[in-house]
Amino acid sequence: MTGGEAVSNDDAGGESAPPVVLKLGGSLITEKNEPETLDEAALHAACDAVAGALAAGTADRLVVVHGGGSFGHHHASEHGVSTTDGTRDAEAAAAIHGAMKRLNAHVLERLREHGVPAVPVHPLSLAARAGGADGGLDLPLGSTATLLGEGFVPVLHGDGVATAGDGVTVVSGDELVVELASGLGARRVGVCSTVPGVLDVDGDVIPAIDDFGSVADALGASDATDVSGGMAAKVRELLALDAPAYVFGAEGLVPFLRGEGAGTRID
Ligand SMILES: Nc1ncnc2c1ncn2[C@@H]1O[C@H](COP(=O)(O)OP(=O)(O)OP(=O)(O)O)[C@@H](O)[C@H]1O
Ligand SMILES: C=C(C)CCOP(=O)(O)O
């Protein structure tokens, strides 16, 4: 949250223990190179891990964010829209948002089938960028905090976002994770993707990162269609957080949700 105060959900009638923020990467839950195709097995496993952690009480206050995968990125790329290049074409904005809502509906349905009380929060309806070189993202968090306090698992997603001077740009799930974590005072942040962590130039998992410069050479974009910057953007975003963040693959999800370390720790 750009310069804002952390939002408390004390007034929402629920417990106010700091939440866990988890991003399910689009490359994990979709077949990123097949337009609008889910990776059903990976999504099922992720929902199972979330349901297990809620049942065990190890991540009882949880906000989930998911990325675009083969839903948002294909449409954004087709229309030339990215986190920095906007559109004033309503059809383009609707195509990107529509694809993300379709993916969000699948994720919600699967989570609820696993008994997770998941409800949607759509960033296009809430957020805005001030625009310009240093224009920050404004993501009001009242609805998410209140839903959390009422015992729901809010599920946000990368989306289009109103951008002053530029129409609609893309907001990545990684940016949302940062806003949610700082605004809600998260205790831990997890970013689950298809890689077991941030990899060094030899392909080995880097155990911990506390400085972008020391790993910049190893960080690239995504190896699939991706308008939001892949791993380099992820690490930059996560370094800005107070809470410890972990980047891991599917195998790290259960340990992360148990409160253990997984993949690469970024702080
Ligand atoms: N040093 C690196 N370590 C690990 N992955 C890297 C590295 N450099 C580039 N990558 C790429 O970053 C990708 C992960 O970022 P990507 O944004 O595609 O994942 P995601 O968040 O799961 O997807 P989405 O953006 O759709 O939510 C990996 O699949 C890999 O291709
Ligand atoms: C492409 C869109 C609309 C979402 C981008 O979110 P990300 O996959 O988290 O980078």
Side-chain angles (χ1 to χ4, degrees):
M1 191 162 60
T2 42
E5 297 283 312
V7 174
S8 157
N9 64 350
D10 286 353
D11 298 337
E15 297 297 314
S16 58
V20 171
V21 176
L22 171 68
K23 181 187 173 195
L24 299 176
S27 56
L28 176 79
I29 60 172
T30 75
E31 301 284 354
K32 210 160 167 176
N33 291 313
E34 292 292 325
E36 299 212 14
T37 307
L38 294 176
D39 185 330
E40 291 280 3
L43 181 55
H44 176 87
C47 292
D48 213 37
V50 168
L54 291 179
T58 55
D60 50 342
R61 284 167 41 78
L62 181 67
V63 180
V64 173
V65 177
H66 64 79
S70 61
F71 287 67
H73 287 285
H74 278 273
H75 290 273
S77 168
E78 229 174 78
H79 292 283
V81 182
S82 69
T83 50
T84 50
D85 293 319
T87 181
R88 290 201 173 76
D89 175 1
E91 296 294 337
I96 297 164
H97 180 61
M100 288 310 301
K101 278 207 305 189
R102 286 192 287 283
L103 176 55
N104 185 245
H106 288 305
V107 173
L108 290 164
E109 189 186 348
R110 301 304 190 285
L111 282 168
R112 286 197 299 261
E113 280 168 7
H114 282 77
V116 176
V119 290
V121 176
H122 301 303
L124 178 62
S125 310
L126 277 181
R129 289 193 203 279
D134 49 7
L137 177 69
D138 174 36
L139 177 69
L141 295 175
S143 58
T144 302
T146 304
L147 287 167
L148 262 179
E150 294 298 320
F152 294 100
V153 172
V155 183
L156 293 86
H157 52 86
D159 204 350
V161 60
T163 301
D166 214 5
V168 168
T169 60
V170 163
V171 60
S172 74
D174 301 325
E175 290 175 270
L176 299 172
V177 161
V178 170
E179 297 299 309
L180 289 160
S182 56
L184 299 172
R187 73 189 137 106
R188 335 176 61 229
V189 171
V191 174
C192 184
S193 186
T194 44
V195 278
V198 183
L199 308 177
D200 65 18
V201 285
D202 298 320
D204 297 322
V205 174
I206 302 170
I209 298 174
D210 60 8
D211 164 50
F212 189 80
S214 62
V215 293
D217 285 355
L219 300 180
S222 176
D223 54 11
T225 305
D226 190 300
V227 300
S228 53
M231 190 55 76
K234 235 180 267 313
V235 172
R236 261 190 207 290
E237 298 282 348
L238 298 175
L239 275 168
L241 281 177
D242 288 337
Y246 298 85
V247 175
F248 47 84
E251 69 295 334
L253 191 48
V254 168
F256 170 77
L257 288 170
R258 266 203 306 256
E260 298 162 15
T264 300
R265 178 178 165 127
I266 300 180
D267 48 7

